[in-house]
Amino acid sequence: MKIRIKFSKTGNLKYIGHLDIMRCFQKVMRRAEVDIAYSAGFSPHQIMSFASPLGLGLTSEGEYVDIEVLSTQSSETMLQKINAAMVEGMQALGYVELPEKAKTAMSVVAAADYRLTFDVPVFAEMKAKFAEFLLQDSIVITKKTKKQELELEIRPLIFETQFEEDQENGKTTLFLKLSAGSAANLKPEQVMDAFCAFAAIDAETLPYHIHRLEMYADVSKKGEGRKLIPLERMGEMIV
């Protein structure tokens, strides 16, 4: 039985890397007595697959991990058991059963939502300049890999943007819906670096925090436009 767990990662856990999050989940599965399936072979391990890993320094309320179980209780009961064993800063938010032939979250993720919160009030000037930035027909960045540098056209990978002003706290937030996944993955940091270069802004003078809100799969059929649904909605609650 395939299960998809949605979880949040907040607080000081933003400084914990992906490998440590994996180890944490493995321990939580044992402590919560989840009847998780193990691989065969000389060194069996829990069958577990994470969607697009979160970078260091980022928080999120839209992380996903897929597991396989031999048996399970209701979604409500399993969430209670998992959260009782969870570390501070992480919380399981959803527990759904996937169809038998469902692909892993890692292989189907196609987009992600982010909220960038700026430490300084920059709403008016940034909103206008960012609109100019998006009006460009082409936005090319240089993407460095271990072996080479590649030019990447990112304008088609920016799906939605929205600025908001928090007058009470004197801060500006920027919502971004970006392409994600192995085929065309765009990070919010890359968007901001490209914007700062366009606007001739020193990126170090524009501090911000990134919070991932959700991840999506594209369930459109051939010839249709994008049809994004949250990864959680690919499964059903267990009652």
Side-chain angles (χ1 to χ4, degrees), residues 113-128:
D113 289 344
Y114 299 91
R115 182 178 65 239
L116 280 61
T117 302
F118 298 88
D119 294 339
V120 291
V122 292
F123 179 72
E125 56 268 37
M126 273 195 64
K127 183 178 180 181

Side-chain angles (χ1 to χ4, degrees), residues 48 64 74 82 100 116 118 128 165 195 217:
M48 179 180 294
Y64 289 91
S74 70
I82 291 170
E100 183 179 348
L116 280 61
F118 298 88
E165 184 179 21
F195 167 70

Side-chain angles (χ1 to χ4, degrees), residues 159-173:
F159 299 154
E160 294 180 27
T161 68
Q162 179 65 51
F163 269 99
E164 293 184 0
E165 184 179 21
D166 184 348
Q167 293 182 340
E168 183 177 343
N169 296 312
K171 293 187 176 182
T172 298
T173 62

Side-chain angles (χ1 to χ4, degrees), residues 8-70:
S8 62
K9 178 186 174 187
T10 58
N12 289 331
L13 281 189
K14 66 182 180 181
Y15 301 115
I16 302 300
H18 179 61
L19 290 178
D20 288 322
I21 295 298
M22 288 179 59
R23 297 187 189 100
C24 175
F25 253 92
Q26 291 167 356
K27 293 179 180 178
V28 168
M29 294 297 103
R30 290 194 291 268
R31 291 171 183 163
E33 298 181 343
V34 176
D35 191 13
I36 192 167
Y38 282 75
S39 63
F42 180 75
S43 179
H45 59 272
Q46 295 178 7
I47 299 178
M48 179 180 294
S49 172
F50 287 77
S52 183
L54 195 65
L56 278 178
L58 280 64
T59 58
S60 175
E61 60 191 75
E63 299 303 288
Y64 289 91
V65 57
D66 291 347
I67 63 173
E68 291 189 20
V69 298
L70 303 177

